[in-house]
Amino acid sequence: MNISIKEKILSQLINAKGEPVSGQKLADELNISRTMIWKHLKSIEEDGYVIEAIKKKGYVLQSIPDIVTPEQIIPNLNTKQLGRTIDYYTTCESTQIIAADKAREGAPHGTVVIAEEQTDGRGRLDRSWNSTANKGIWMSVIIRPAISPQFAAQFTLVSAVAITQAIQEVTNLTPEIKWPNDILINGKKVTGILTELQADMDIVHSIIIGIGVNVNQELSAFEESIQKTATSLKIENGEEIDRSLLAAKILYYLEKYGDLYVENGFKPIKILWESHNCTIGKRIRATTLRETLEGVALGITNDGVLEIKLDSGEIRGVYSADIHL
Ligand code: BTN
């Protein structure tokens, strides 16, 4: 991992949790002059951090800006590979497009593209994705698992489990997964996942997992047409959430469950997915590209396919659909 000196200084300030960090100690540890330490501190302040210099004691981090820069995410990160390279944008069209280009250019496993704002955020089925500036997590993760293309779709379910777990840990809310990959809180959508594949017939080159989490929006940030069906974590628990902490937790669980899946197959993921889901056992309407099916959701198969028992008694497997509960 290649951490810059500036990131190292910031990490030390964050980890000190309000206690002073000695300038001399930083200079000795990083093997640079006090003047260079001071220059890096100025640059950190320019990014919006407030640092107080206390005579004879050192530097205290007074407040951190609400941004999802690598400097903010990395100190919270507990992963081996995911998020060790982060490409950050204040604004971009879509992190998914940038990540797809980067993946084709050979970006390593675990590379993350993250933005404060997307001007052309993309959802499933070519829909647009509302990506309000500075209020959500809009990120795309490039992974290169050693699996064959037929299993790639299961990574959507791996991702849903990972994000659910991360939200639960950071907020104490109880999210539920609506098949295949919508995450709901109190029946409203808080997260969408868009998984895209770059592969040949028999080998996966990369999977790009696009994750959109509505974090700190007020209801008015959503277009009127989706105000009844969309929500944010802040609306649901009444508190601002630290977006960089949540992004780091999502990456942690994505790595954990991604590794679990590659090593042990879909079975353990299926159990986790089922424990969080709100689709199975319910009467649903599934709109696929070709037809609309109504019946009871029986469960998911070992491939992640949703099985529906129609009123006629016939059991049908659905690979991709919009589900209405
Ligand atoms: C859905 O339709 O539910 C999926 C939404 C996925 C949105 C995310 S935000 C980050 C990444 N960039 C995009 O343009 N889309 C995905």
Side-chain angles (χ1 to χ4, degrees):
M1 183 189 15
N2 202 354
I3 304 183
S4 71
I5 299 226
K6 182 175 156 187
E7 281 167 352
K8 284 183 185 160
I9 296 173
L10 184 56
S11 264
Q12 294 235 14
L13 290 170
I14 292 173
N15 292 337
K17 297 194 165 68
E19 291 300 314
V21 177
S22 146
Q24 189 59 53
K25 204 167 146 252
L26 281 174
D28 292 345
E29 274 178 27
L30 299 169
N31 209 11
I32 55 172
S33 67
R34 290 289 299 267
T35 316
M36 279 312 290
I37 293 286
W38 184 83
K39 281 191 178 157
H40 283 299
L41 287 168
K42 285 289 139 211
S43 161
I44 291 171
E45 282 182 327
E46 277 162 21
D47 292 340
Y49 296 82
V50 178
I51 298 168
E52 190 189 356
I54 304 178
K55 259 205 175 134
K56 297 216 170 87
K57 289 200 163 159
Y59 300 98
V60 177
L61 186 61
Q62 295 290 6
S63 75
I64 53 178
D66 177 24
I67 47 175
V68 284
T69 55
E71 288 81 5
Q72 288 284 89
I73 294 174
I74 287 172
N76 292 309
L77 202 56
N78 194 5
T79 59
K80 291 189 288 300
Q81 290 168 300
L82 261 59
R84 293 302 168 184
T85 304
I86 298 180
D87 196 11
Y88 168 79
Y89 296 82
T90 48
T91 183
C92 71
E93 263 179 52
S94 158
T95 58
Q96 201 72 359
I97 297 173
I98 299 173
D101 287 344
K102 285 190 163 289
R104 271 187 289 271
E105 288 159 11
H109 170 76
T111 300
V112 168
V113 180
I114 192 161
E116 299 291 354
E117 175 190 41
Q118 299 184 116
T119 53
D120 192 16
R122 303 186 317 165
R124 282 173 64 230
L125 308 170
D126 238 8
R127 295 181 182 136
S128 67
W129 178 261
N130 184 315
S131 321
T132 318
N134 310 311
K135 298 289 176 192
I137 294 173
W138 325 125
M139 75 174 170
S140 300
V141 186
I142 301 170
I143 56 165
R144 299 189 184 278
I147 57 170
S148 68
Q150 72 196 91
F151 299 118
Q154 294 180 343
F155 251 99
T156 308
L157 306 192
V158 172
S159 310
V161 170
I163 299 166
T164 302
Q165 196 86 25
I167 292 177
Q168 203 161 319
E169 195 173 311
V170 172
T171 65
N172 276 324
L173 290 163
T174 308
E176 291 180 312
I177 308 171
K178 188 177 89 169
W179 185 89
N181 57 2
D182 286 350
I183 298 178
L184 313 182
I185 294 178
N186 297 323
K188 292 179 164 194
K189 181 161 167 172
V190 79
T191 294
I193 305 167
L194 179 68
T195 317
E196 290 174 318
L197 177 65
Q198 292 181 359
D200 284 337
M201 284 297 281
D202 52 0
I203 184 168
V204 167
H205 297 307
S206 67
I207 302 175
I208 297 144
I209 305 169
I211 299 169
V213 188
N214 298 327
V215 183
N216 287 327
Q217 293 102 319
E218 306 291 346
L219 195 59
S220 56
F222 298 105
E223 284 153 31
E224 230 175 284
S225 58
I226 58 168
Q227 283 189 0
K228 285 207 166 73
T229 52
T231 192
S232 74
L233 298 175
K234 185 180 170 192
I235 294 170
E236 296 305 318
N237 79 349
E239 278 172 20
E240 291 267 330
I241 311 291
D242 180 341
R243 289 180 301 139
S244 38
L245 174 65
L246 181 57
K249 275 279 181 283
I250 290 173
L251 293 169
Y252 169 75
Y253 281 112
L254 200 53
E255 181 169 282
K256 179 174 169 169
Y257 294 135
D259 288 353
L260 181 71
Y261 171 69
V262 172
E263 280 157 27
N264 297 307
F266 190 56
K267 218 169 166 185
I269 300 299
K270 185 172 180 256
I271 294 168
L272 288 166
W273 188 92
E274 284 169 347
S275 73
H276 291 299
N277 103 92
C278 63
T279 312
I280 296 172
K282 296 244 174 73
R283 194 172 170 82
I284 60 163
R285 198 169 75 247
T287 311
T288 71
L289 285 177
R290 285 184 299 129
E291 59 187 338
T292 296
L293 301 170
E294 276 197 45
V296 175
L298 289 182
I300 53 168
T301 65
N302 285 334
D303 302 327
V305 171
L306 180 69
E307 288 192 319
I308 306 172
K309 185 171 186 187
L310 307 184
D311 296 337
S312 63
E314 187 191 352
I315 295 173
R316 294 278 292 272
V318 173
Y319 289 83
S320 170
D322 264 344
I323 302 295
H324 306 276
L325 297 172

